[in-house]
Amino acid sequence: MRHKHHFEAVIFDIDGVLVDSEHYHHQAVNDICSEIGHVISIDKSKELIGLSLEETFDQLQLRRVTTNKSEWMQQVEDRYVQIINRKMERPYASELIKALKISGIKIACVTTANRKVAEANLKIIGVMDSISCLITRESVVNTKPDPEPYMKALHKLTVSPKHALVVEDSVIGVQAALSAHVGTVLFYPHHMSNVLDMQDPVITINRFTDFSFFNRTLSQFVNI
């Protein structure tokens, strides 16, 4: 089933957009940091949203307590994968992705997380097979807010920026999408987002069904 629209592709951030995972990331980072005597507050965790684990390590100045960044990152990833569960899906996330795919929309995910974490998130909500393109930390030289991750996704999807829609939950993610000249950018905050008043052309939503295109797409396949 297809309908007319001006979007050829939808690109989702993962953490905070498809899965309400920030609490789990905080727990995983805090668990491993606690083992080396470094406790992180919730307020500090908000400052880390959208950052890669490498950037998180540097932001927390963990070189003061450990110099082995790669081992720390591996431990955090392992802990995160152990503690996540199916309940972390944000409402209608998997249904929306599957409905978009049926409608003929290309779907990509762009994240600052490493591939192990990204794939774990997508698998736990059952959408891994619906994603045409996955851009992770390993895929790029420069992470968000640099436009490289979104530019790479658009290139792989062979889609013009003006025909793409991006959904983000962080300021740096929105900045990355705008810098890549994406035609439509949605800001979809959650309880741990540093929420700001987004200016045009960014559209703020509180649920996927707030956006008419998503609502129309979902309603064809799901009772909402």
Side-chain angles (χ1 to χ4, degrees), residues 213-224:
F213 170 65
F214 284 166
N215 194 52
R216 290 196 309 271
T217 304
L218 267 168
S219 63
Q220 294 179 88
F221 309 103
V222 180
N223 291 323
I224 55 175

Side-chain angles (χ1 to χ4, degrees), residues 199-215:
Q199 303 298 315
D200 289 339
V202 181
I203 301 167
T204 299
I205 60 172
N206 294 309
R207 58 192 65 81
F208 282 126
T209 50
D210 284 347
F211 190 58
S212 59
F213 170 65
F214 284 166
N215 194 52

Side-chain angles (χ1 to χ4, degrees), residues 69-86:
K69 182 189 289 189
S70 60
E71 181 179 338
W72 178 85
M73 290 171 56
Q74 183 65 54
Q75 290 173 339
V76 172
E77 288 179 353
D78 289 345
R79 183 65 55 86
Y80 177 83
V81 171
Q82 289 170 1
I83 62 178
I84 60 174
N85 60 68
R86 186 69 174 78

